[in-house]
């Protein structure tokens, strides 16, 4: 399987190159040259690790099949407590695909427990011996998931930058207490986009690259623009379908819908890839929070990132530039030249407008909606808990609300699967307050309060953060990111 850039389809690379490189030279994202067809009946019968290996083998054709089998078994076994891709019925026609049973309690573990193994193997496949320095900008969940995935991986160091005061206290502590000899974490003055812009600048900094090259260090990214982040996420869409088929809720070949709480557009894009590979998906519903740049895009065809940025109770969706949308625009817009033009316009003017034919193609596969404020999110958490006895986090609640409205508007009886992207115990104060309890000032007290109120146990990896020593407390300016990178691999 070959991959090429969304902005230059001429330049083809192998899967190993796409994963080792991350972004293409002209700033495009790597996409697969084709969508391999999946044997649906076989896929539906597989356990999660075998299914993951099966999907990976379709795309990563220059990796040894035995390597992919071992990597998938190691990533999705014990680390997920036997609950990889677990589907839970919430009410008659709605399911929750619980993607937070991994080590850091967010869905990003699916990609980031596997991606470090894919990167090390890619370097081996390519005969590359440099040290890889991974820079990550995070709004909270990616950072911890990446730290956990890359800790003590040979030949790699990782530095994570998160917006100061932009994460929950639990998320901050997850990162500040990270173990491992090759990790570092910094808070950045500013919001997520400031941190991301700072990291992007460091990647574009030729002087920095030259200085690092002298030390045989090459920069790389773990953000969801890397193909290695995307491909593992295709797997759980198939896993969800397999569970519905095995439990008799759908017959093989019947469609189901998905609703995905969306930020950078990576998670939902993986669902689109699953559909193109033959999974019977009706509609992919894109759910946004108050930062509803995607909602407006789907409605109007204009993507306008020049707008107010809001901090919400679903911080991992507080994003104004949804990078992975570029891949969808390539697949449905049909030309690298068009994508290059749109992205040029986004860089220069902060917006672009897509032609009608492309928008029509997008609307055939996608629906959309948003929560206008945090009150709507809280009301949804409360209503699902009281009506259905199901406890969900703030991000998942955004999707439940949008899914509910979609189902009401479309009178569809296809099963609706909502992707549940984080454990409610990652955001315990907001969730407890949503349920109507006076939330205590501290996250750990709120965690206990939530346990007492609901009888649901907090994940050990979160409860265990209490009292753990903080290793990383530095706060830097956003233009200090390059200097951090410069010094990251000293001693
Ligand atoms: C990252 C994240 C999202 C958004 O996923 P994208 O792939 O960026 O669209 C949603 N919810 C949670 C909890 C996340 O961590």
């Amino acid at each position: 399987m070959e991959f090429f850039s969304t902005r230059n389809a001429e330049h083809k690379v192998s899967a190993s190159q796409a994963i080792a490189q991350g972004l293409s030279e002209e700033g495009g994202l790597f996409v697969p040259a084709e969508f391999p067809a999946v044997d649906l009946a076989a896929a539906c019968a597989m356990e999660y690790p075998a299914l993951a290996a099966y999907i990976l083998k379709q795309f990563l054709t220059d990796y040894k099949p035995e390597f992919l089998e071992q990597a998938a078994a190691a990533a999705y076994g014990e680390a997920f407590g036997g609950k990889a891709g677990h589907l839970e019925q919430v009410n008659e026609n709605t399911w929750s695909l619980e993607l937070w049973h991994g080590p850091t309690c967010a869905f990003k573990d699916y990609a980031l427990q596997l991606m470090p193994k894919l990167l090390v193997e890619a370097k081996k496949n390519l005969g590359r011996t440099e040290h890889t320095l991974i820079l990550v900008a995070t709004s909270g969940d990616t950072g911890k998931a990446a730290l956990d995935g890359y800790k003590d991986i040979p030949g790699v160091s990782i530095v994570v930058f998160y917006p100061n005061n932009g994460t929950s206290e639990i998320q901050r502590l997850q990162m500040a207490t990270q173990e491992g000899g090759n990790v570092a974490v910094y808070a950045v003055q500013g919001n997520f986009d400031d941190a991301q812009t700072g990291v992007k600048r460091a990647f574009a900094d030729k002087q920095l690259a030259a200085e690092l090259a002298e030390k045989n260090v090459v920069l790389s990214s773990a953000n969801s623009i890397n193909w290695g982040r995307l491909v593992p996420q295709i797997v759980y869409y198939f896993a969800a379908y397999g569970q519905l088929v095995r439990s008799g809720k759908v017959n093989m070949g019947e469609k189901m819908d998905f609703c995905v709480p969306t930020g950078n557009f990576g998670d939902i894009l993986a669902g689109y890839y699953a559909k193109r590979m033959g999974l019977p998906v009706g509609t992919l519903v894109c759910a946004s929070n108050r930062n509803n740049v995607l909602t407006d895009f789907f409605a109007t065809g204009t993507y306008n990132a020049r707008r107010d940025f809001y901090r919400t109770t679903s911080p991992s969706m507080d994003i104004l530039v949804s990078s992975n949308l570029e891949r969808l625009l390539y697949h449905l817009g049909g030309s690298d030249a068009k994508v290059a033009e749109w992205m040029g316009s986004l860089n220069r003017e902060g917006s672009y407008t897509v032609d009608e034919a492309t928008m029509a193609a997008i609307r055939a596969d996608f629906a959309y909606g948003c929560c206008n404020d945090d009150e709507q999110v809280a009301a949804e958490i409360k209503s699902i808990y009281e009506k259905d006895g199901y406890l969900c986090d703030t991000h998942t609640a955004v999707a439940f609300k949008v899914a509910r409205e979609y189902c009401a508007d479309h009178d569809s009886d296809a099963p609706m699967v909502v992707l549940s992207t984080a454990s409610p115990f990652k955001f315990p104060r907001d969730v407890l307050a949503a349920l109507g309890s006076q939330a205590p000032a501290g996250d750990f007290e709120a965690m206990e309060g939530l346990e007492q109120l609901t009888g649901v146990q907090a994940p050990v990896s979160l409860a265990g953060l209490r009292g753990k020593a903080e290793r990383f407390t530095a706060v830097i300016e956003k233009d200090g990111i390059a200097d951090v990178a410069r010094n990251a691999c000293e001693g």
Side-chain angles (χ1 to χ4, degrees):
M1 171 83 64
E2 286 182 318
F3 294 78
F4 50 75
S5 159
T6 47
R7 301 186 201 177
N8 175 8
E10 297 295 302
H11 179 57
K12 300 203 165 53
V13 301
S14 67
S16 296
Q17 278 172 296
I19 287 171
Q21 200 175 319
L23 270 184
S24 80
E25 284 86 14
E26 52 335 291
L29 275 54
F30 289 113
V31 288
E34 60 204 293
F35 293 107
V38 159
D39 179 341
L40 191 60
C44 284
M46 290 178 192
E47 294 293 326
Y48 200 94
L51 177 62
Y54 174 59
I55 300 288
L56 291 169
K57 281 183 215 168
Q58 310 298 315
F59 288 104
L60 310 186
T61 47
D62 62 332
Y63 285 69
K64 289 195 193 75
E66 308 78 55
F67 164 80
L68 294 174
E69 283 156 20
Q70 282 162 12
Y76 302 120
E78 233 163 80
F80 285 79
K83 285 197 148 184
H86 177 73
L87 194 65
E88 186 79 27
Q89 188 158 12
V90 175
N91 59 42
E92 201 193 330
N93 210 32
T94 314
W95 278 260
S96 176
L97 181 57
E98 294 183 344
L99 300 175
W100 38 263
H101 294 288
T104 78
C105 304
F107 88 94
K108 293 184 172 73
D109 285 331
Y110 282 85
L112 287 162
Q113 287 294 306
L114 189 73
M115 164 110 173
K117 303 181 206 300
L118 299 182
L119 176 66
V120 170
E121 191 71 4
K123 284 165 70 179
K124 218 190 272 173
N125 290 345
L126 299 169
R128 287 167 62 161
T129 56
E130 78 275 8
H131 189 87
T132 306
L133 173 58
I134 304 218
L135 303 182
V136 182
T138 182
S139 55
D141 289 333
T142 303
K144 176 59 187 183
L147 288 163
D148 195 87
Y150 280 102
K151 71 161 186 268
D152 296 330
I153 293 274
V156 181
S157 305
I158 175 166
V159 187
V160 168
F161 303 92
Y162 67 90
N164 196 25
N165 302 321
T167 68
S168 82
E169 179 63 2
I170 296 286
Q171 286 178 311
R172 187 189 71 78
L173 280 172
Q174 279 188 302
M175 293 187 276
T177 59
Q178 177 65 46
E179 293 165 10
N182 61 341
V183 304
V185 178
Y186 293 86
V188 177
Q189 293 293 11
N191 62 33
F192 169 68
D193 282 311
D194 292 324
Q196 189 165 51
T197 304
V199 167
K200 280 188 182 156
R201 277 211 199 108
F203 280 121
D205 185 335
K206 298 234 161 65
Q207 158 118 33
L208 174 64
E211 285 174 39
L212 292 174
E214 276 185 21
K215 296 188 261 184
N216 197 27
V217 175
V218 173
L219 289 179
S220 182
S221 160
N223 282 99
S224 66
I225 46 180
N226 193 304
W227 174 251
R229 277 280 304 269
L230 207 58
V231 62
Q233 299 181 357
I234 299 171
V235 179
Y236 43 72
Y237 286 88
F238 283 94
Y241 193 73
Q243 287 166 84
L244 287 179
V245 167
R246 290 199 300 269
S247 64
K249 303 291 184 185
V250 294
N251 297 315
M252 184 68 76
E254 280 175 358
K255 286 187 175 152
M256 69 180 158
D257 298 323
F258 288 97
C259 185
V260 187
T262 296
N264 224 355
F265 209 75
D267 206 8
I268 192 167
L269 183 71
Y272 172 76
Y273 282 176
K275 183 173 185 177
R276 293 289 298 264
M277 293 167 75
L279 187 68
V281 178
T283 303
L284 293 157
V285 186
C286 175
S288 301
N289 67 16
R290 192 178 174 199
N291 294 295
N292 55 3
V293 57
L294 285 166
T295 313
D296 290 349
F297 169 70
F298 283 117
T300 65
T302 295
Y303 192 101
N304 183 6
R306 291 227 173 124
R307 54 172 66 217
D308 290 338
F309 173 88
Y310 300 107
R311 277 189 181 170
T312 72
T313 53
S314 42
S316 296
M317 297 158 70
D318 290 348
I319 288 175
L320 295 184
V321 177
S322 299
S323 311
N324 270 297
L325 184 61
E326 178 170 345
R327 286 190 163 106
L328 184 71
L329 292 175
Y330 175 78
H331 293 304
L332 292 175
S335 113
D336 51 354
K338 275 200 224 169
V339 173
E341 190 188 310
W342 292 329
M343 294 306 134
S345 169
L346 181 66
N347 271 338
R348 285 189 313 274
E349 286 141 42
S351 71
Y352 58 89
T353 299
V354 169
D355 59 274
E356 245 333 292
T358 304
M359 281 319 293
I362 291 177
R363 290 190 191 114
D365 284 318
F366 290 85
Y368 55 91
C370 66
C371 283
N372 292 320
D373 53 44
D374 288 341
E375 285 71 45
Q376 288 183 343
V377 179
E380 195 68 26
I381 291 175
K382 186 172 161 73
S383 120
I384 290 170
Y385 183 69
E386 288 177 353
K387 275 215 287 288
D388 303 316
Y390 188 75
L391 184 65
C392 74
D393 92 296
T394 44
H395 303 75
T396 308
V398 171
F400 269 121
K401 186 241 181 202
V402 172
R404 188 167 50 72
E405 290 176 350
Y406 174 84
C407 292
D409 285 352
H410 290 77
D411 197 24
S412 155
D413 54 8
M416 171 57 83
V417 175
V418 169
L419 272 63
S420 178
T421 47
S423 160
F425 289 94
K426 255 187 134 162
F427 307 93
R429 272 189 299 161
D430 291 324
V431 174
L432 189 59
L435 295 180
S437 284
Q438 188 95 40
D443 268 9
F444 292 106
E445 293 75 19
M447 211 183 259
E448 279 172 5
L450 199 54
E451 284 184 320
Q452 278 158 16
L453 184 72
T454 63
V456 181
Q457 282 264 289
V460 176
S461 64
L462 298 183
L465 289 170
R466 196 172 203 166
K468 205 168 168 190
E470 290 184 38
R471 290 180 70 198
F472 303 106
T473 53
V475 183
I476 61 166
E477 297 295 329
K478 64 183 167 191
D479 51 15
I481 287 177
D483 274 340
V484 166
R486 194 164 274 124
N487 301 319
C489 299
E490 305 286 322

